[in-house]
Amino acid sequence: MKNESVFLFATGIFFLIFILSPEVFGDYPVYEYDYKRYNYRKKPKSEKRMKSLRQMCENGDRCNGLSGIELLRCIRRCMSSDCYKELYDHDELEEGEIDVRFNSFKGCIVSKEQV
């Protein structure tokens, strides 16, 4: 039993050091997602505004009957069609995607409201 544990441990270490090492496979290219960035500072007033906009869109007729990613896209379009077009139209959100653009989206809404 002890020999089996030592073997599994040694195999795991070998795997981590040699198989996953960049020297073995070379460096993987790092891609940075390119999109227009807007500053967004999480403040109570801004957060309240975003929550209010979101709830209005969720409860409105426009997005009624949708679910999943389609509902999320509809809510974002409803919150600000201009900001949605600018940040999402060229590359729409996909199911399971981590939305790295959301803070910029909220920053866009705030900046458009200030103008």
Side-chain angles (χ1 to χ4, degrees), residues 38 82-83 86 107-115:
Y38 289 90
D82 290 339
C83 292
E86 190 171 338
C108 177
I109 292 172
V110 170
S111 72
K112 302 258 186 221
E113 287 180 346
Q114 290 175 350
V115 173

Side-chain angles (χ1 to χ4, degrees), residues 18-33:
F18 294 104
I19 303 299
L20 297 179
S21 171
E23 289 81 27
V24 174
F25 288 107
D27 291 330
Y28 293 102
V30 176
Y31 299 103
E32 187 173 324
Y33 190 69

Side-chain angles (χ1 to χ4, degrees), residues 81-114:
S81 61
D82 290 339
C83 292
Y84 187 89
K85 285 176 189 170
E86 190 171 338
L87 291 164
Y88 294 102
D89 254 4
H90 68 282
D91 184 18
E92 289 205 339
L93 279 175
E94 297 174 10
E95 194 70 47
E97 178 182 354
I98 296 171
D99 187 6
V100 297
R101 299 171 277 184
F102 188 53
N103 276 342
S104 284
F105 178 73
K106 293 189 288 187
C108 177
I109 292 172
V110 170
S111 72
K112 302 258 186 221
E113 287 180 346
Q114 290 175 350

Side-chain angles (χ1 to χ4, degrees), residues 4-20:
E4 185 179 339
S5 296
V6 170
F7 174 76
L8 289 174
F9 177 76
T11 305
I13 295 297
F14 173 82
F15 180 78
L16 288 173
I17 292 172
F18 294 104
I19 303 299
L20 297 179

